Amino acid sequence: MSGHLAVIGLGPGDARYVTPEAQAALARADALYGYGPYLDRVPVRAGQSRHASDNREEGTRAAAALAHTAAGANVAMVSGGDPGVFAMAAAVCEELAAGPQAWRSLDVTIVPGVTAMLAVAARVGAPLGHDFCALSLSDNLKPWDLIERRLDAAAGAGFVIALYNPISRARPWQLGRAFERLRELLPPATPVVFGRAIGRADEQVSVTTLAVADPNAADMATLLIVGSRETHVIARPGRAPLVYTSRSAQGARA
Amino acid sequence: MSGHLAVIGLGPGDARYVTPEAQAALARADALYGYGPYLDRVPVRAGQSRHASDNREEGTRAAAALAHTAAGANVAMVSGGDPGVFAMAAAVCEELAAGPQAWRSLDVTIVPGVTAMLAVAARVGAPLGHDFCALSLSDNLKPWDLIERRLDAAAGAGFVIALYNPISRARPWQLGRAFERLRELLPPATPVVFGRAIGRADEQVSVTTLAVADPNAADMATLLIVGSRETHVIARPGRAPLVYTSRSAQGARA
């Protein structure tokens, strides 16, 4: 028996972002695993079993998919966006490292996708046009003071900052605290982009400034981009503004 | 006359990474602009003009595409990877901001793609599985001391670091200097991934450590990923090792 596990990025929430490689990997699978709403994006095919789980059960889901693969199946684990960015690929690696030695012989492929920050950036221009970082605001698996240190380091050194997992019912205050912290390091006019559900009917994108950015405008599915001192906004008559970060920098304050 | 400009990400160097959205945008275009090797990836279609330029002519290329759009054409500007990450979208925004007022009324769309760091990460596991940054080592448009400050800030705060534009004929020493700098902040065993030409016949991916990473193993087309203290390597019998960054962190040294 020689199973195969493909960890697949579906990109933002619309079929036009699913790469041909991801489509082929989905078509090959006997069994599909994933968080329910991501699985729901995959067209149903006869003979494929579906194993939906809750979004906080990443370790359990990864272990179940590995066990199924070890039993000889062609398994697909689906992620929104890119599976390697705050998603399932790391969970699969963690479970593989902790699991039975035999799992190390399994054939595992990661299929990359368009991650949320790239999709949100594309909607408004090129805010990630120069050095940037991606930071999860979830303090479920790391201490909050480490998140604050990373915010300080990134903003202080002039990185644009993409914020994943900004807020949830169980983490209501973290985004507000992050804005407070960033306001101490960055000018009030620093552009802030909120984006959610890119490519879906309920897509929402807005551009504001750090001075007035409202944490309540974000939810679990929102991706934020906080600009640097090199991030500019171009007003356009009759069109949404363009936000971009210059390709050149003059030395930015440390 | 109402032209349209699409700035399109082709993803890594193979058609299986080109999203359906990018395919559709390419098919709609009357005129294609881009760096020659990227244009060469786009299937030829009758009636489409092609405008190839050198890879250091980004501003000129962007201005030409905007002027062509303003004349009423459907123009496509192609980038490898994602156009918003160290690529053409920022150059288009810069030229649009600096150009004639009429350019601000143009219809401009950015079509995201799979950027190099996601493709390289997918090949080896999930090294970008937790907080990370993307940093260009090119000092053509920013001072080298700013790059060093960003390396220090990122490594010191525990970000995984993806390095774009690591080396070129005109910039031969920068990557070696970056490794020296990072060796002062990170343990010798820190995993370092070199990846180039993902999805192409000449694809090369290797995993080494910061202690022995050799700048001469990189060229212009190489993307590097330098791990954090939370990045691990799983040895696998008969298979390439998996590299991943834990989803949890215990507080990492500042």
Side-chain angles (χ1 to χ4, degrees), chain A residues 103-152:
Chain A
W103 285 6
R104 299 191 177 213
S105 305
L106 294 177
D107 189 6
V108 178
T109 307
I110 317 289
V111 178
V114 173
T115 182
M117 68 180 162
L118 303 184
V120 170
R123 276 294 189 269
V124 299
L128 305 178
H130 204 62
D131 302 333
F132 63 91
C133 67
L135 176 62
S136 169
L137 280 192
S138 171
D139 56 353
N140 289 341
L141 296 170
K142 63 187 167 185
W144 177 254
D145 76 302
L146 177 61
I147 296 174
E148 292 200 335
R149 264 190 285 147
R150 289 183 178 167
L151 286 168
D152 292 352

Side-chain angles (χ1 to χ4, degrees), chain B residues 97-209:
Chain B
Q101 185 67 24
W103 286 4
R104 299 191 177 212
S105 304
L106 294 176
D107 190 6
V108 178
T109 307
I110 317 290
V111 178
V114 173
T115 182
M117 67 180 164
L118 302 184
V120 171
R123 275 295 189 270
V124 299
L128 305 179
H130 204 64
D131 302 333
F132 64 93
C133 67
L135 176 62
S136 170
L137 280 192
S138 171
D139 55 353
N140 288 342
L141 296 170
K142 64 186 166 185
W144 177 254
D145 75 300
L146 177 61
I147 296 173
E148 293 200 335
R149 263 188 286 148
R150 289 183 179 169
L151 286 167
D152 293 352
F159 287 97
V160 171
I161 304 172
L163 296 174
Y164 282 75
N165 306 319
I167 204 160
S168 75
R169 227 165 298 168
R171 295 181 291 102
W173 53 263
Q174 285 79 347
L175 180 57
R177 193 78 64 86
F179 283 153
E180 285 169 26
R181 196 90 186 181
L182 292 170
R183 284 182 190 120
E184 291 172 22
L185 292 159
L186 295 169
T190 302
V192 176
V193 181
F194 288 67
R196 73 184 301 286
I198 300 299
R200 299 214 310 248
D202 55 339
E203 172 174 321
Q204 284 184 318
V205 177
S206 62
V207 177
T208 182
T209 64

